[in-house]
Amino acid sequence: MHDFYKERGLEVPKPAVPQPVPVSRGRPRKVLGSVFRIPPELDISILLEFIGANEGTGNFKPLEKKFVRVSGEATIGHVEKFLRRKMDLDPTCQVDIICGDHLLEHYQTLREIRQAIGESAVQDGLLVLHYGLVVSPMIVT
């Protein structure tokens, strides 16, 4: 490495000094925390409740965890993408997401939904979203 920098007329960087790793006795501690933290005033905890699937939606995996904490800026489109990936949904399957008696649009943020619908959308501090699966209508061109 030294020769590489010298041949090019560059300053040779100083080697990094290894930092001592504290030795702890007992339970191992988690060294690295999350790189990205959502400020508490901006996050929203949601409860995803499955309400059913129409015939023909194909096979899908049940959602393992129905409690999710995300940014209030996340949209219904993000929630749908999350559901599609976790449940391994067929591309022809349409995901309808409902809060209260409102069918939600992809562009709506979770914070907007919580403010618009109010406390009737919240259960034990969680924004309750119901989702169902239907077969997408065929597009004829």
Side-chain angles (χ1 to χ4, degrees):
M1 182 176 93
H2 184 272
D3 293 341
F4 174 84
Y5 283 93
K6 284 291 183 188
E7 288 172 4
R8 288 161 179 77
L10 301 171
E11 183 180 340
V12 179
K14 293 183 175 67
V17 179
Q19 297 295 319
V21 176
V23 177
S24 63
R25 294 190 172 107
R27 293 179 60 182
R29 292 187 327 193
K30 188 175 181 181
V31 177
L32 298 176
S34 174
V35 175
F36 179 74
R37 295 193 188 277
I38 301 170
E41 65 276 7
L42 296 181
D43 72 343
I44 290 188
S45 296
I46 58 176
L47 168 60
L48 296 167
E49 289 283 357
F50 182 59
I51 55 175
N54 285 2
E55 223 174 283
T57 53
N59 294 330
F60 54 88
K61 297 188 290 190
L63 192 61
E64 290 179 23
K65 296 180 181 179
K66 60 182 185 175
F67 301 100
V68 183
R69 188 170 133 193
V70 296
S71 166
E73 294 302 309
T75 65
I76 291 303
H78 293 119
V79 175
E80 179 184 343
K81 188 180 283 189
F82 171 80
L83 291 169
R84 285 187 173 285
R85 287 191 177 153
K86 292 295 182 181
M87 297 176 71
D88 197 24
L89 296 176
D90 190 89
T92 62
C93 183
Q94 177 179 321
V95 180
D96 286 339
I97 301 176
I98 301 164
C99 186
D101 58 355
H102 302 277
L103 180 61
L104 304 173
E105 300 292 335
H106 282 84
Y107 61 84
Q108 292 178 283
T109 68
L110 297 176
R111 186 175 317 126
E112 290 170 348
I113 295 163
R114 186 169 185 163
Q115 289 171 348
I117 299 176
E119 288 304 309
S120 64
V122 179
Q123 174 186 325
D124 297 326
L126 302 167
L127 179 65
V128 180
L129 301 177
H130 294 91
Y131 65 96
L133 309 177
V134 295
V135 179
S136 296
M138 297 298 243
I139 299 172
V140 180
T141 55

